[in-house]
Amino acid sequence: MRQSDAYRQQEKLYELWLCSFPGMGNKGRCRLAEHCGGAYGAYSASGEKWGEVLSSRQVGELKAFTAAWKPQRAYREMEEQGICLITRTDETYPKRLAWIPDAPYGLFVRGHLKGMEHPTVAIIGARDCSRYGAYVAEQLGAMLGSRGITIVSGMARGIDGISQAAALMAGGCSIGVLGSGVDVCYPAGHKVLYGKLIERGAVISEYPIGTPARPQNFPPRNRIVSGLADVVVVVEARERSGTLITVDTALEQGREVYAVPGRITDHLSDGCNRLIRQGAGLLLSPEAFLVELEELVGRHGNGESSALKEQVHNRENTQQGKEPGKAEDLRQEEEQKRGDEKERKVGKQRAAVLIRNLSPQLEAVYQALDLCPRSSAQIWAELARQDPEGWAEKHIATLLMRLCMENLAEQVSPGYFCRKRD
């Protein structure tokens, strides 16, 4: 092993020590490492040396933490879990993060960061999204993922997880930024997504291994989501939403922000509509956004001005079998896509047959539904305006349940229904 390699391996042991100490922020870690000539120098330094850059409280806490720390064992346990640590001194540290305010001193990574070589889009939004929001997130994630654009998000319920899952299903790459340690799957219901992210992209976090998901971890996490992205897209957000924290950090970092418009009566779109009024980009279709994305990435000069075109071209070449080493993987991927597409077509055909065979009343109720949840009272009021004598409110709920049984509608909350997505 060359001397430089041996030095970096030694530094990694003690960078892990420094990143795992919970009583210090990124600036403190950088300051201590620089003051002591590196992480190993900091580990070996005296308490007096630490006191030149740290508070007396931090010095006391760091002494106690260091006394119990076993560098070799901790590093071995991290590697056994398939986790690596990258810091600002590593070439693999994401360049997009290097210049953001309070850039992470280190990132724990499970998976790979090859997706950072491509244009990146953060898709974020409400956890309790509407069916309309879920549909948009799915379509946008799938379209961008299929074009080789990396989707960055927080693996949360709702918009985040839906867009990431769609990108992966389309054969793309995605990066999940966690508000916990990378060995902690949160939310627990996203274990399948968590596994696919590790396989096709990565989950990353600045929090030490074993850190549980705490509410105070998520606002700082959001600056990494926006920092890794060339463009941030908000699909749905309330007027006062945690999603807008990510928007604030994106603007502070100089990132472009787009928002999907919604109905003025839909509170889940209040945040998006306000962002558009304040000057955010208007996302009207995934295809139009793709064209604008290419221009934005080139204009900001991230060294990737032609990366979008090149990535699409390379992907097309790969799909034509010009990379023999990946032929089998590509064949399986294409077979999976064809199977999924066939299943979707069969579902659409079945739904079309069912709709054609609906009774006039059932068809009228079905046509009154859309992807945004509506109550039975709202549907009755709309139908009664058209035919006051032909509708009784008490019958609407029965008709809605029949549509649910036919898999043409679904009840999303007590008394609220929407169309089943294709």
Side-chain angles (χ1 to χ4, degrees):
M1 184 180 288
R2 299 195 309 271
Q3 183 178 1
S4 59
D5 293 336
Y7 170 78
R8 280 304 302 150
Q9 185 63 33
Q10 176 180 264
E11 275 293 284
K12 279 294 176 187
L13 294 177
Y14 300 101
E15 286 172 345
L16 176 59
W17 161 76
L18 192 54
C19 287
S20 298
F21 174 54
M24 190 185 304
N26 293 301
K27 291 180 181 178
R29 292 187 177 96
C30 288
R31 197 161 53 240
L32 182 62
E34 290 171 1
H35 185 68
C36 298
Y40 176 66
Y43 180 85
S44 306
S46 65
E48 289 75 15
K49 184 77 169 177
W50 292 350
E52 293 173 8
V53 292
L54 302 179
S55 68
S56 57
R57 179 185 60 80
Q58 286 178 316
V59 169
E61 291 176 350
L62 187 55
K63 281 183 178 179
F65 179 80
T66 304
W69 185 260
K70 307 297 182 186
Q72 297 284 351
R73 186 176 71 183
Y75 196 81
R76 183 176 64 254
E77 290 174 350
M78 181 183 74
E79 286 189 312
E80 287 173 352
Q81 295 183 71
I83 299 169
C84 68
L85 173 67
I86 57 174
T87 64
R88 296 188 195 181
T89 57
D90 290 311
E91 292 183 0
T92 52
Y93 187 87
K95 294 179 175 58
R96 293 174 179 85
L97 284 184
W99 304 108
I100 70 168
D102 194 29
Y105 174 78
L107 290 170
F108 294 90
V109 180
R110 204 169 198 174
H112 65 80
L113 293 178
K114 296 176 184 177
M116 289 292 96
E117 300 169 3
H118 308 147
T120 55
V121 174
I123 302 179
I124 58 175
R127 285 175 169 80
D128 297 318
C129 61
S130 71
R131 294 303 173 196
Y132 164 74
Y135 177 81
V136 173
E138 186 176 51
Q139 295 297 307
L140 186 59
M143 190 276 290
L144 295 177
S146 69
R147 300 302 197 279
I149 296 162
T150 299
I151 303 302
V152 182
S153 204
M155 209 184 86
R157 289 187 298 106
I159 299 300
D160 294 29
I162 290 169
S163 63
Q164 291 184 282
L168 294 170
M169 181 66 73
C173 179
S174 183
I175 307 294
V177 187
L178 307 187
S180 62
V182 292
D183 58 328
V184 178
C185 177
Y186 181 85
H190 274 180
K191 287 182 180 178
V192 173
L193 175 58
Y194 177 82
K196 289 182 178 179
L197 283 169
I198 293 171
E199 179 185 346
R200 301 292 301 272
V203 291
I204 68 173
S205 176
E206 66 177 329
Y207 297 111
I209 296 167
T211 302
R214 302 186 182 100
Q216 62 267 30
N217 293 353
F218 291 95
R221 180 278 305 266
N222 293 345
R223 82 190 193 287
I224 300 176
V225 173
S226 58
L228 288 173
D230 295 317
V231 179
V232 174
V233 175
V234 185
V235 175
E236 277 187 332
R238 296 181 185 275
E239 184 73 28
R240 298 181 183 277
S241 166
T243 299
L244 300 183
I245 297 174
T246 310
V247 172
D248 290 339
T249 61
L251 295 173
E252 183 181 2
Q253 295 162 354
R255 303 299 192 258
E256 296 285 346
V257 175
Y258 275 70
V260 175
R263 299 179 180 182
I264 62 173
T265 56
D266 186 355
H267 293 306
L268 276 170
S269 292
D270 285 347
C272 291
N273 292 339
R274 180 167 66 84
L275 288 173
I276 293 169
R277 185 181 64 191
Q278 292 174 345
L282 180 62
L283 197 154
L284 293 177
S285 74
E287 293 75 19
F289 173 69
L290 183 65
V291 174
E292 294 186 37
L293 176 63
E294 182 181 330
E295 297 174 356
L296 287 168
V297 172
R299 190 163 69 236
H300 283 276
N302 293 331
E304 297 168 325
S305 57
S306 61
L308 188 54
K309 283 183 178 178
E310 182 180 349
Q311 179 61 17
V312 173
H313 177 69
N314 289 343
R315 187 171 183 80
E316 290 172 349
N317 287 345
T318 300
Q319 290 172 342
Q320 293 169 9
K322 295 185 179 181
E323 293 186 27
K326 298 182 180 180
E328 180 60 23
D329 290 341
L330 288 168
R331 184 185 65 78
Q332 294 179 0
E333 181 181 317
E334 288 303 318
E335 285 182 359
Q336 180 66 44
K337 285 183 181 178
R338 284 194 293 269
D340 293 340
E341 184 61 29
K342 183 178 179 181
E343 187 176 336
R344 281 193 291 269
K345 286 182 178 178
V346 169
K348 287 182 179 180
Q349 290 169 357
R350 177 183 175 277
V353 171
L354 287 171
I355 292 168
R356 283 198 302 270
N357 293 330
L358 290 175
S359 68
Q361 279 198 320
L362 277 173
E363 183 178 4
V365 173
Y366 176 78
Q367 295 300 336
L369 290 169
D370 62 18
L371 292 174
C372 292
R374 306 187 71 187
S375 69
S376 56
Q378 289 174 320
I379 294 170
W380 171 77
E382 179 178 321
L383 294 173
R385 279 197 300 271
Q386 301 169 11
D387 183 7
E389 302 298 327
W391 296 96
E393 184 175 1
K394 63 181 181 180
H395 293 150
I396 298 296
T398 301
L399 294 170
L400 286 166
M401 293 309 299
R402 286 185 59 186
L403 289 172
C404 290
M405 291 173 64
E406 295 288 356
N407 208 32
L408 294 173
E410 59 184 325
Q411 186 172 4
V412 295
S413 61
Y416 281 80
F417 299 80
C418 68
R419 284 189 187 183
K420 194 81 169 182
R421 283 189 294 153
D422 290 336

